[in-house]
Structures are given as C-alpha cells and as structure tokens.
Amino acid sequence: MTSQVSRTTEQADGTVVGEQRKPGGVKAVRRLDRVIIRFAGDSGDGMQLTGDRFTSETASFGNDLSTLPNFPAEIRAPAGTLPGVSSFQLHFADHDILTPGDAPNVLVAMNPAALKANIGDLPRGAEIIVNTDEFTKRAMQKVGYDGSPLEDGSLDGYSLHPVPLTTLTVEALKEFDLTRKEAERSKNMFALGLLSWMYHRPTEGTEKFLKQKFARKPEVMNANLAAFRAGWNFGETTEDFAVSYEIAPATTAFPVGTYRNISGNLALAYGLVAASRQADLPLFLGSYPITPASDILHELSKHKNFGVRTFQAEDEIAGIGAALGAAFGGSLAVTTTSGPGVALKAETVGLAVSLELPLLVVDIQRGGPSTGLPTKTEQADLLQAMFGRNGEAPVPVIAPRTPADCFDAALEAARIALTYRTPVMLLSDGYLANGSEPWRIPELEELPDLRVQFASGPNHTLEDGTEVFWPYKRDPQTLARPWAVPGTPGLEHRIGGIEKQDGTGNISYDPANHDFMVRTRQAKIDGIDVPDIEVDDPDGARVLVLGWGSTYGPITAAVRRLRGAGEAIAQAHLRHLNPFPRNLGSILAGYDKVVIPEMNLGQLALLIRAKYLVDAHSYNQVNGMPFKAEQLAAALKEAIHD
C-alpha cells in the first residue's frame, strides 16, 4: 500500500503537485508543509485509538507533530449528544511545530453531534469527511438540526466528502462471522485506512498493532485489518477523493538521534524510572487512580524488572503515606495525583517537609475546583503547590513545558529532592499528559548522576568525646540533613510531625528553636541551585512575555507569528517556580512591560508582582483548553502597541 509520484510540478503558490499513475486513472498528489486533522465521534467510536494510530505512523514517517486528545469525563457519555463527543486533533509538518494547531484543515465527523460540536473551529475551505449513515432524522434532531446540514447548503463553504462509512465497513466485513453491530465497530479502522491513503501514512505499524492487540481474538483482528485495508482501497479507487497529500519528513527539525512518539505521562514515567536507575535506588510509587494522572501508575506497574514497585492505595492519603514511608526506608519515592488529590495529600506533604525526606509529588493539573473538569486542562494548582499546607512548609515547584520535556522534568525533580532532602511538587497538566510529540531518546551518558550517600555512622562528637548520630546535622552547602536508612546500627533516631530540635532531632517546643528551624527549612529551599532563566530577545524588545508549564508551545508559536510580521517581542519561560531563578528579577526589570499568559486567573502574575514589585499584565483563560497561537498573538500585539 505505497504510492509513487511519477511527475511533479511547482505551482505559482509554491505547492508541489505530482501525478500518481495507477491502473484505472490518474490522481494528483499535492505536497503540503503541514496539516491539522481532527477525528471526532461518540466516545465509543474509537476516536482516541484512531488518532493514536495515525499519530504513531506519522511519527515513524519522520514528521514533527503535536496532538490534542479531547474527550468527555464520563466513561461512556450519552451517544449522539454534544457532551458525548470525543475528538483527537493532530498537527504534523515537515518542519518544527509547537502546538496541535488552532484550526483543523480536515474534520472527520462520525455523526451529526461530532459535526455540530466541531464545525465552528473549521476555517472556510477545510475538508469535511462525514459518515452519512449516521445522519438520520432522529440523530440530527438530537443535536438541534432541523434539516440535514449535508443538503441545506450550510456547508457550501467547505470541501464536503459524504462517505457512508458504516455501510462500507459492514460490506467489507460480510465474509466474517459478525453481527452488523459487531461489524460497525470497525468503522473507525475504515476511516483510519482512508486517511492513511489520503496522507501517505505508513500502514505496517497499524497492521502490526492490530495483530498484537487482538491476537487472542482472531476474528476481531481479521475484521479490523479488513476494514483498515478497505478504507485505504476506497481512497485509492473512489472518484470523490481526486487528490492525496504528501507532507515530507521534518529532516531539518530534529538533531541527530533515535526518536519515538511519546505522551507527557509516558515521558514522565520513563523519567522516573531513569531517575531511580541514575540514583541507584528502588522506585516506589504510592498512588490512587485519578484522571489525568492514572496512566503513570499504569505504566510504572509494567517495570518491575527495573526495581519499580507500585502500590494502588485505597485513597489519596494512603498513597502518599506509603510513599513517604518508602522514602524513609531509602527508596526514590513518588506519589501521583491531580488537584483534588493534592488537597488530600497536603498534611503528609507537610510531614515530609518536617521530616526532610525526598519525595516527588506529581500533580497532573485539571480543571477545578473540586471534581471540576476531570478530562480538561488547567494551570490553577500553582498557588496550592506553593502554599497549600498549614504552617511554613516550603517546597520546590517545577513544571515541564512540553510532553517530551516531562522526562527531563522528572529527572530534575528527583535531583532536587535527593540533593536537598525535600518533597518536590512537579506540575504537569492534562494538555501535556495526554498530548504527544517526537522525543529523542537520550544516551546514557547524557543523564545526570543522582547517586546519594546514606548516613553510615556517627556524625557528631559531644563535649565529652562521645561520637553520636545527629539526624538534623546539616550539610553546610545544601542544608540537607543526613538520610539514615532504618536498621543501620547506631543511627536510631526519632521521627514524627512535632517540631524537632536542631541537630539532635529531639522533640522541642522551644520558641527560639522553632523560629530557627522554620527559617532554616526556608533557607534550604531558597538556596536550591537552579539554572538562570534564558531570554529569547533577538531584537531588543520593549515587551517580555513570561510563561510557565504547557503555555510554552502556544506562546512560542505566537511569538514566531509576531516576529514574522515584523514585531519585536521577547520571550522567557520558567521551569523552576520555587525558588525562582536568581536572575529573574533583573530580567524583568529590563522590560517596559511583562505579559504573563496563564490557564488560570493570574497565579504566577500574583507571585511575580509580590516578589519583584513588577506590574505584570495577566492574560488568562480557564475554558479547559490550551491557548490558541492566533489568540495569543493578537493579545501580545495589543500589548506591544498599547
């Protein structure tokens, strides 16, 4: 199932068109530099699987890509309704890209609800492939269509491809011993085959995937393979699709190396495993399942061969309690959750601050408050991460910027936790967790050495010459206390949440000691060695846009658009949110205006204003979706000229 271009010509607009000579006709091949595709249907239509497979083949082909899965919170949302629509958007290109794209060039709509829920995002001229079998009177009325949008002229501004996907799938599978309902389930594979033909995607990986996934159900496996191939052949032979498209590999976008497609949660899981190996410590995950963090638990449970132990606890409190116990026992300890779980874990995070033990608290942020929007993204847990504990309980906070960057962020969180003996909050979000992009697999020598020395004997001499172990005697550089593994002879010491005496670790209610310990714990966090923030400012701009976390892609795409239009704007992006980089204050002071886009109501802006007395301007969005580059570019242009 490969195609050959026998002739190409350069058009006036730069588009390259080739002719694909086939027995039975000639079809043109149009070469594009990028395309944005959105698959949409009921949550039971397999849109996420379809998108995942198309993405995997696109990654193996060598395109740069970015994805945006979007699905209901319900496991099986009401069929045929607008709230029940599930979609998967993929942006792929022959050059470096940063976002899943603002507006799809192609929409595959499996039913009327999918069309109505997504048509507003399409630019005029976009291609729409609709499953006409689902456009029944009842299905259309359910979503508010008085008549068929396929016939009333409302789609005249688009390139419409009406395809009876269900009928064609059932016809392709008539030789199999399947009921009509069972056969209809493969219509997503028919659609995937059609899109694979349209965009010259490899097919071997998908066929291998289907053979492995349904190896124990040969009838289902063969049906899905047949539907996939039928979709590809339909595109090849039908007259409705006269043009297919080529997007060349992004050969200049990536440094030399071995790449794979990776989601943020998978990258984070791999980063945690790598950190445990580099630290030469067993990895322990104590977790309670919660969207969108559960994938990390699922993935880590597969890696017992790397010394990983996973514990699915009965609740959030038990999960972090077990993790803190593992940290006390000498493991690289992790707990994963989302915003509601962070609230429940707060007391134990405070205990970890008091005990001064390394612990990674991974928060995959989602829409709130309370249960909020479980499957939608948000950045509204920053202040909770900073201050969401009783008393003065400071913790370092770091945030990855892209799905692939979650790997490096996990290693950095582990470095800080192990070096400074402190819990660390890692703030990812649903956009990064579920989105994916190409990731260069690092060489082993590129990974940091995270090995630590456990306490092995006495570390203090009393006035009478007796050698003893003081559990709170600190490293003069890092202020970290020694890490003593339980059971080591002579290192017995008291732990618990009541205030400790400096040095000895004995219980202390002395006011002066408490003041000293509070200030010491704060000084330890303030003294963490973090890299200076880098500023991208080639033109000596007057305005700086400052971001953190997953806003990196949309902000960078917006900055590129503005600079391409001749505007001068500077960009900086924070990974370390507590402590801030030491040069941040001087950087901010060098600009007339600082704009901070956030998917919250201005939490980073609040911190920046408080610490640096900078009149930072917030640009905020809390609709459960990532920023669009065009939207940000317009806001930043207004800030430049205000």
Side-chain angles (χ1 to χ4, degrees), residues 478-565:
T478 65
L479 299 182
R481 79 174 186 90
W483 194 0
V485 176
T488 306
L491 303 190
E492 298 85 0
H493 60 283
R494 181 180 288 106
I495 65 167
I498 297 178
E499 184 62 282
K500 314 295 186 299
Q501 183 182 55
D502 178 43
T504 68
N506 295 330
I507 290 175
S508 173
Y509 295 99
D510 178 65
N513 177 79
H514 176 59
D515 183 272
F516 178 81
M517 292 295 281
V518 167
R519 294 178 186 276
T520 300
R521 287 188 289 261
Q522 184 65 58
K524 181 174 69 169
I525 303 307
D526 292 341
I528 291 173
D529 181 25
V530 303
D532 283 347
I533 190 170
E534 297 181 357
V535 181
D536 176 18
D537 184 6
D539 304 312
R542 184 178 62 88
V543 175
L544 171 72
V545 54
L546 178 68
W548 71 277
S550 67
T551 58
Y552 174 77
I555 289 175
T556 307
V559 167
R560 287 182 180 179
R561 292 189 185 196
L562 289 172
R563 290 177 181 168

Side-chain angles (χ1 to χ4, degrees), residues 107-176:
L107 171 66
V108 180
M110 303 298 282
N111 60 19
L115 177 64
K116 187 158 191 178
N118 292 282
I119 190 66
D121 293 337
L122 268 65
R124 290 290 172 173
E127 292 194 78
I128 303 175
I129 301 171
V130 295
N131 180 14
T132 56
D133 289 324
E134 296 297 320
F135 279 72
T136 63
K137 184 176 181 180
R138 183 169 180 271
M140 289 187 290
Q141 288 177 340
K142 187 182 289 188
V143 296
Y145 281 128
D146 295 327
S148 174
L150 310 183
E151 301 171 356
D152 63 8
S154 61
L155 301 179
D156 287 350
Y158 306 95
S159 178
L160 181 64
H161 301 279
V163 180
L165 286 172
T166 306
T167 299
L168 290 170
T169 302
V170 171
E171 179 66 20
L173 303 184
K174 62 183 181 181
E175 64 183 82
F176 297 94

Side-chain angles (χ1 to χ4, degrees), residues 17 30 53 55 128 139 200 315 409 420 476 479 486 523 553 564 579 591 606 618:
V17 178
R30 185 169 300 149
R53 288 313 316 158
T55 299
I128 303 175
H200 295 215
D315 56 40
Y420 296 91
L479 299 182
Y591 290 90
L606 181 69
S618 285

Side-chain angles (χ1 to χ4, degrees), residues 385-421:
M386 288 286 292
F387 307 118
R389 295 160 295 283
N390 64 295
E392 296 286 349
V395 299
V397 181
I398 70 171
R401 60 177 59 182
T402 68
D405 188 48
C406 290
F407 178 87
D408 296 315
L411 285 164
E412 176 65 356
R415 177 190 74 85
I416 293 173
L418 295 171
T419 303
Y420 296 91
R421 310 286 196 268

